Amino acid sequence: MTESSNAYEYLDNADPREQARLAAVRRYRLVDQPVEDAYDRIAFVAGALFGTPIATVSLVEQDRVWLAACQGLTGVREIGKEPGLCASVIAQDDVYVINNAAVDPRTLEHPLVRGELGLRFYAAAPIRTHDGYRLGTVNVIDSVPREANPRQLTALQHLASIVADELELRLMVIRSAAAEQRMRETVN
């Protein structure tokens, strides 16, 4: 193995801001992990608030979108990072809404719009860490066009903030366990 070979080799090709964002995604150690109840409950509540059949909590990686929780899509844990949906949401701070993806130029070519799912409605709030990184989204999806009201969109933002809080708690546990391990190694 050469010195430049490592598990995150692709980070060498990302711009510095994206490198920092991807490092922030990784520090929470949630990608490629089993679904945790806290995130699953948040996805459920998002779907219930909007009355949509699908809701997810996602983390946007370099080349994929990892679904930390997913209501309404059985067995799906990741999707592509094509622009127009989750990958576009993390480029902004505001809620992102697509009322009818079949006619919205941002999503016309997206596989979830053109494919079997037939996505038409999509609303997402970015998950922002306390240090400013946008890691992913809390989103709701439907196969029929629809409108969202301001109260629903504000609730979606609050759910994304709750995910950010849960991630910080997760990070505290990770760091506490690492500190305890170091202490045990020092004593032995």
Side-chain angles (χ1 to χ4, degrees):
M1 183 178 275
T2 66
E3 191 174 316
S4 65
S5 293
N6 64 57
Y8 305 120
E9 187 174 342
Y10 65 84
L11 288 176
D12 296 336
N13 298 323
D15 73 53
R17 285 188 317 251
E18 180 64 358
Q19 286 180 17
R21 190 193 71 77
L22 290 167
V25 169
R26 285 197 170 62
R27 74 181 169 206
Y28 297 100
R29 299 182 191 167
L30 192 58
V31 173
D32 295 323
Q33 297 301 310
V35 173
E36 293 185 15
D37 288 343
Y39 308 110
D40 207 36
R41 287 191 302 269
I42 290 167
F44 177 85
V45 170
L49 283 168
F50 282 80
T52 59
I54 301 169
T56 76
V57 174
S58 72
L59 295 171
V60 178
E61 273 279 350
Q62 171 78 12
D63 57 356
R64 64 184 172 147
V65 176
W66 177 255
L67 303 180
C70 184
Q71 293 285 319
L73 289 175
T74 306
V76 177
R77 292 305 310 273
E78 68 180 68
I79 59 173
K81 191 182 167 188
E82 295 85 2
L85 299 177
C86 296
S88 295
V89 176
I90 64 163
Q92 63 182 40
D93 284 327
D94 299 325
V95 175
Y96 186 88
V97 179
I98 296 172
N99 296 313
N100 185 352
V103 297
D104 192 305
R106 298 173 291 180
T107 56
L108 285 174
E109 298 302 317
H110 197 285
L112 295 179
V113 174
R114 296 179 59 87
E116 184 179 324
L117 180 64
L119 180 148
R120 292 299 176 260
F121 173 76
Y122 176 83
I127 300 166
R128 287 184 306 270
T129 63
H130 298 287
D131 54 354
Y133 294 105
R134 293 181 215 99
L135 306 182
T137 69
V138 174
N139 63 68
V140 292
I141 297 169
D142 203 340
S143 59
V144 295
R146 59 169 58 218
E147 300 282 329
N149 67 51
R151 188 170 173 91
Q152 288 173 311
L153 297 176
T154 298
L156 198 59
Q157 288 177 308
H158 286 304
L159 289 173
S161 294
I162 292 169
V163 171
D165 292 343
E166 286 291 323
L167 288 170
E168 291 306 313
L169 291 172
R170 179 182 182 83
L171 186 58
M172 284 193 286
V173 169
I174 290 167
R175 288 179 174 164
S176 293
E180 183 178 333
Q181 181 63 33
R182 284 190 304 273
M183 195 166 54
R184 286 179 191 211
E185 290 170 358
T186 305
V187 172
N188 293 331

